Amino acid sequence: MAAMKPRKRRADAGAFALSRDEACSIAALVEETRRLTGTGALPVEDAVEILRSNGRINAARVDEATGEWRALSTSAICRAIRHYGFHREALSAPSPAARLSSPHPNHLWQIDASVSRQFYLADDGTQQMDKRVYYRGKPGNFERIADRRLWRYVVTDHASGCLELFYVQGAESSANLLAALMHTMTQRPTGTMHGIPKMLMMDPGSAVTAGMTRNFLEATGIEPIVNEVGNARAKGQVENAHYLVETHFEARLKLQAPVTSLEEINRLAQEWARGYNATRTHSRTGMTRRDGWLRITSDQLVLAPALDVLRQFAATPPKPCTVRDGFIRFKGGLYDVRGVPGLINGQRVNVIANALAAGDSVRVLMPGEADRQVVHYLAARVSTNAWGFVETAAEVGAEFKSLPETPADAARKELDRVAMEVRTDAEAAAARKSKRLAFGGKVDPMKPLRDAPVAPALPRAGRAADVEVPVVVAQRIEPAPVRAELAALGHYDAATRLKPMVERAGGTWTPDMYARTAQRWPEGLPVDEVETWAVELLAPPRSGLRVVQGGAA
């Protein structure tokens, strides 16, 4: 029997009729309907049917033999979705964690809280959680021991891996977080890691955003780094430290009498941390955690003030101060803020004490960039002479000192140059003086309104008002009769009207005109004869004699 020939490979093998955009739309609709548990998603065939009916996809191919469109099968669509990387297995794979590094100890600390394995501190000592008593169906049992619940705060140094732990009661709070942090920052006889870190990484929560925590971090100059919600891997070092504490320390507590107080469990915790840091080799550094932290230099180690001073920083909120000619007043001292970028005269800024140089400088809190926290700027204290004047002030009559141009001054000048369409400040001032229009008058402020595509309003149908229209009858109003006393003007009133008429015609009002008026109109000049009489007054008076041919008349 002859061997069968191998099947010929299709010319379009490896190609997909379903485009990447259509595969993306189908996968997006399926994932949109999936439950948080990863189940319950809409079937692919239903998603394709919905998107086809809405005109969002074709999911079809052209039959080369007949030239007609044929819908793709569900299996072909699923193969294309997998090829483009939109299948469930690819989407559910965890994103790779970014590798982080720190250049030296105390560059970055991580802090996190978790419920202790001992669970709560009873009258007769620590008690572990009995699953038969404390479970989801009995929330009241949790409430009864809520204030006695044991929490552990673990602090780790990112560079050396050195760790410290501190136990508190109650719940996660700003006071408990700061208590653990201040305990780690202060130098202790049994501890190694101490000082003020440059940055602190922690979980988001009310304890982190509380005003007390913000005040403390701002006063000590610690930059907070809050990881995103649900991204605990960002501080994986401290998460792993919880596991180390639970398995290497708290597991030992089961082999001895129950701990009866916070002081006792914290004392035991310090003994364990001291020994663990000094004896266990860290896999990344190849040395013990204690030896790794001790490589810190004097420039990198910022010593923390006393514990009572640290507590004051937690309770002191920032104080708003007003900038006056490049200076601010804070707790009786004068500080120079002319070097703070973006600060303008008259602006109010938040100021806090500087924990590292109390009295010599303060911290001015300014908003940072979009992806950063508040930026701290140090403002040095300014000394004054015996008369209270600033030492650097210009002496009247002896010297002249001008203040540097502020950002607000520079911005105003730049806007003037742009509006006047010139290059120099002098040209801008001259243009303003000459009343030049902004932008050369080429900007039409009404153009957007004229060009707006406003559709004509169609007449709206309505109904007639249900009211009775009154009948209006026009009334003939007869002119009021002229009063008799106003029909003629007295000689004085007549002269008052005649004089300006005569003068407007180029004549001169004379006493003879007044006499002629009184003689001609002894009872008063009629109102309707005023203009006619004014013309006659301008004519020369008629003589009593007349010339007759042949001699005198």
Side-chain angles (χ1 to χ4, degrees):
M1 182 176 180
M4 296 182 62
K5 294 182 179 180
R7 185 176 180 181
K8 185 179 179 181
R9 181 177 175 83
R10 287 172 47 187
D12 59 349
F16 294 92
L18 187 70
S19 67
R20 190 179 188 278
D21 291 340
E22 291 189 341
C24 182
S25 298
I26 297 170
L29 182 58
V30 172
E31 291 300 318
E32 191 68 22
T33 60
R34 192 180 301 278
R35 297 173 58 185
L36 295 177
T37 57
T39 61
L42 188 72
V44 173
E45 54 267 27
D46 290 357
V48 172
E49 181 182 7
I50 293 173
L51 293 174
R52 273 180 180 153
S53 63
N54 284 271
R56 303 297 297 268
I57 64 172
N58 292 319
R61 65 180 180 86
V62 179
D63 190 332
E64 296 181 357
T66 62
E68 63 179 339
W69 279 82
R70 289 189 177 182
L72 294 175
S73 64
T74 303
S75 59
I77 292 174
C78 291
R79 285 196 302 271
I81 290 176
R82 177 172 292 275
H83 170 75
Y84 293 125
F86 296 137
H87 58 289
R88 182 58 185 166
E89 290 78 4
L91 298 177
S92 60
S95 302
R99 295 285 183 175
L100 304 177
S101 66
S102 292
H104 57 76
N106 281 20
H107 176 78
L108 170 66
W109 285 4
Q110 296 180 359
I111 187 171
D112 189 57
S114 181
V115 178
S116 170
R117 179 173 172 174
Q118 298 297 308
F119 196 58
Y120 72 98
L121 190 62
D123 294 336
D124 55 349
T126 54
Q127 299 291 332
Q128 294 194 15
M129 181 177 64
D130 188 347
K131 294 183 178 180
R132 295 171 298 180
V133 178
Y134 301 101
Y135 60 97
R136 186 179 301 176
K138 296 290 184 180
N141 293 340
F142 288 95
E143 296 177 2
R144 280 195 297 269
I145 51 90
D147 57 340
R148 295 190 174 192
R149 190 176 303 181
L150 269 179
W151 287 75
R152 65 169 177 268
Y153 278 89
V154 178
V155 185
T156 63
D157 176 68
H158 190 241
S160 64
C162 197
L163 62 90
E164 292 291 337
L165 65 155
F166 189 76
Y167 285 87
V168 296
Q169 272 188 298
E172 283 190 275
S173 66
S174 179
N176 285 339
L177 183 144
L178 293 181
L181 187 58
M182 288 187 285
H183 165 80
T184 309
M185 291 169 60
T186 54
Q187 195 167 5
R188 305 167 307 283
T190 58
T192 302
M193 185 172 69
H194 64 279
I196 299 179
K198 182 179 180 181
M199 292 178 285
L200 181 67
M201 183 178 290
M202 47 194 163
D203 278 333
S206 58
V208 176
T209 59
M212 184 184 299
T213 306
R214 293 198 308 269
N215 296 343
F216 181 84
L217 297 180
E218 289 170 353
T220 53
I222 300 175
E223 180 183 346
I225 301 177
V226 182
N227 59 269
E228 296 179 357
V229 177
N231 187 25
R233 291 188 304 165
K235 51 178 185 36
Q237 184 188 65
V238 72
E239 298 288 347
N240 183 64
H242 276 298
Y243 172 76
L244 296 178
V245 171
E246 185 173 333
T247 55
H248 291 261
F249 171 61
E250 292 184 352
R252 300 170 185 258
L253 297 180
K254 288 194 66 177
L255 304 177
Q256 65 179 42
V259 177
T260 58
S261 66
L262 274 177
E263 291 76 11
E264 183 181 0
I265 194 171
N266 275 322
R267 178 180 58 81
L268 295 174
Q270 297 311 303
E271 292 178 0
W272 173 85
R274 180 174 179 270
Y276 190 85
N277 287 327
T279 59
R280 300 300 178 93
T281 302
H282 195 282
S283 60
R284 172 171 48 82
T285 63
M287 64 184 78
T288 65
R289 291 168 173 81
R290 178 177 181 271
D291 291 343
W293 190 90
L294 289 176
R295 296 178 65 179
I296 192 170
T297 65
S298 57
D299 294 335
Q300 297 165 355
L301 177 58
V302 181
L303 297 176
L307 196 58
D308 56 344
V309 178
L310 291 176
R311 293 193 184 101
Q312 293 178 11
F313 291 147
T316 304
K319 178 185 176 183
C321 299
T322 303
V323 180
R324 302 293 185 192
D325 301 327
F327 298 89
I328 58 171
R329 288 197 174 274
F330 181 80
K331 294 184 177 181
L334 189 65
Y335 297 87
D336 188 353
V337 295
R338 289 176 294 182
V340 178
L343 207 58
I344 61 176
N345 196 34
Q347 180 178 347
R348 289 179 67 83
V349 292
N350 287 329
V351 182
I352 58 176
N354 184 17
L356 309 181
D360 296 335
S361 62
V362 294
R363 294 180 182 269
V364 180
L365 311 184
M366 295 291 290
E369 300 175 0
D371 58 344
R372 295 194 59 190
Q373 301 289 337
V374 175
V375 179
H376 293 222
Y377 292 94
L378 293 181
R381 184 162 185 163
V382 179
S383 58
T384 56
N385 57 22
W387 294 100
F389 293 115
V390 177
E391 292 287 356
T392 57
E395 182 181 345
V396 179
E399 55 183 340
F400 176 80
K401 296 179 181 180
S402 60
L403 291 176
E405 184 180 65
T406 65
D409 296 333
R412 282 193 292 267
K413 292 178 181 179
E414 182 179 358
L415 295 181
D416 257 356
R417 296 193 298 270
V418 172
M420 292 295 102
E421 297 182 333
V422 295
R423 294 185 177 181
T424 65
D425 296 335
E427 292 174 342
R432 291 286 186 189
K433 188 175 181 180
S434 63
K435 310 293 184 183
R436 183 188 301 177
L437 289 177
F439 304 102
K442 293 176 288 188
V443 175
D444 185 359
M446 303 303 294
K447 191 175 186 303
L449 300 177
R450 288 195 300 269
D451 297 345
V454 180
L458 297 176
R460 294 295 186 267
R463 60 184 183 83
D466 191 14
V467 295
E468 295 183 0
V469 181
V471 179
V472 179
V473 179
Q475 181 181 2
R476 180 179 177 82
I477 301 176
E478 298 293 341
V482 180
R483 291 185 297 174
E485 58 270 19
L486 297 180
L489 299 174
H491 299 155
Y492 176 79
D493 294 334
T496 303
R497 293 198 180 186
L498 292 170
K499 183 176 181 298
M501 293 183 180
V502 171
E503 291 176 349
R504 281 198 299 269
T508 302
W509 180 262
T510 62
D512 180 63
M513 291 181 179
Y514 181 85
R516 290 171 58 188
T517 302
Q519 181 181 3
R520 174 66 181 83
W521 310 101
E523 300 297 331
L525 176 63
V527 176
D528 56 351
E529 293 289 343
V530 173
E531 294 183 1
T532 304
W533 181 242
V535 174
E536 291 188 15
L537 288 176
L538 290 172
R542 296 178 180 178
S543 173
L545 300 177
R546 59 189 179 90
V547 179
V548 181
Q549 185 179 4

